[in-house]
Amino acid sequence: MPIATVNPANGETLRTYEAMGEEETERRLQLAEATFRTYRTTAFEERARLLHRAADLLDEDRRSIAEVMTTEMGKPLGQARAEAAKCAKAMRWYADRAAVLLADEEPDPSDMKDSGASRVLVRYRPLGLVLAVMPWNFPLWQVVRFAAPALMAGNVGLLKHASNVPQTALYLEDLFHRAGFPEGCFQTLLIGSAAVDDILRDERVRAATLTGSEPAGRAVAATAGEMIKKTVLELGGSDPFVVMPSADLDRAAEVAVTARVQNTGQSCIAAKRFIVHTDVYDAFTELFTQGMRALTTGDPMDEATDVGPLASEQGRKDLAELVDDAVRSGARVLCGGELPEGPGWYYPPTVLAGITRDMRVHREEAFGPVATLYRAADLDEAVLIANDSPFGLSSNVWTQDEAEVDRFARDLEAGGVFVNGMTASHPALPFGGVKRSGYGRELSGHGIREFCNITTVWHGA
């Protein structure tokens, strides 16, 4: 895949880039290693000052970088501005809290009285060079939620971004450079996917984080396992959105529409499978389908647009094939479902009912504005349907019954359970999944400690 900016609204190639060769890649690896030797000893106060400066610069650049993101991957412009603002918020959150999150810990003295130690500390030390392999769907946020904690922990970052968002990738390197971070603290590698394996095998690279597809995750995990290197993987998701009889149906349907089509439905934590109790199935389906039909699809630069184009021609083809397979197997199309004519990689908001286990869309992630509806006879069946997926990233539950809330929180196989609200990531909350959605956690204190050497420091009596 070429490294290029291709506008998904019209298919026009705007800029192309030459991939970095071995010599330039080696220069950057050497620089990163040299920088780490000194950056790892900087004080939290200095790291926080630099990260606050990066957040301020990002706020100043919010409109311009939003236009770049929209041009490169089709995100509606208002959502692109919101993404930039969220990144600045996360930077400040880690800048203000990292020193506390990574403070030395002392075990309870009563646990140590027979250890022969006068003092024991648990200390969090940086690992070194961390390779980040990042996707295009949230081209700023996915990177910042890795970079902010990694830099505050004293690590240095190497970014291999998706090949269709090179301008965003280069902006991120420039942002941290302008903020005053030492040269080599955060570098973008304009390389193809085939070059990732060699970099991950390099002894100077100590760990890797990947957000992306299941095949990409398998490849990185296999190499990292062979090389005994720490990884964090955030892969696909096919999140359930469960609606029970006590739910506020108007509010649930309204949020369901946003949860399905935010970022044109190209989000791992988007609600994708809507599992509705039979008592309210018809009413919810009508409200939800009306909401999906009412969305405005069009130019992502237009402030009135709700749904923009998919990021790539192949992405649209893959989504259309999932829908066509479901229809051939008996699914009913309640709205959408047909490729529009004209330029750009658009796909209409679509609702499918009558989903069965033999349909591909039941097992595979629909990465675009396509929703699948399921009817559940009771809570037990709702849990069974929700868990009948290879993925387990997050989940949504709509009910006013606290006993049902407890049951869903206990039994849903997911990294998050959001009750009467839409799944969202927040700097203070751990983010990640189970099953084929990956392992490890980003964000919160859990995320900043993922790439630390948790060291026991023992003092003799």
Side-chain angles (χ1 to χ4, degrees), residues 100-124:
V100 173
L101 294 172
L102 298 181
D104 290 349
E105 299 172 3
E106 294 194 44
D108 189 314
S110 65
D111 291 334
M112 294 289 101
K113 61 185 179 182
D114 61 350
S115 70
S118 62
R119 187 185 184 199
V120 177
L121 296 175
V122 176
R123 179 162 291 172
Y124 296 93

Side-chain angles (χ1 to χ4, degrees), residues 395 397 403-414 416-417 419:
S395 60
V397 175
E404 291 179 349
V405 171
D406 290 343
R407 173 73 187 283
F408 283 118
R410 185 192 74 182
D411 291 347
L412 288 180
E413 297 170 349
V417 179
V419 181

Side-chain angles (χ1 to χ4, degrees), residues 301-321:
M301 288 291 186
D302 188 333
E303 297 287 355
T305 292
D306 300 307
V307 178
L310 297 181
S312 69
E313 186 174 16
Q314 185 62 49
R316 184 173 76 159
K317 179 182 178 182
D318 293 343
L319 187 67
E321 287 178 354

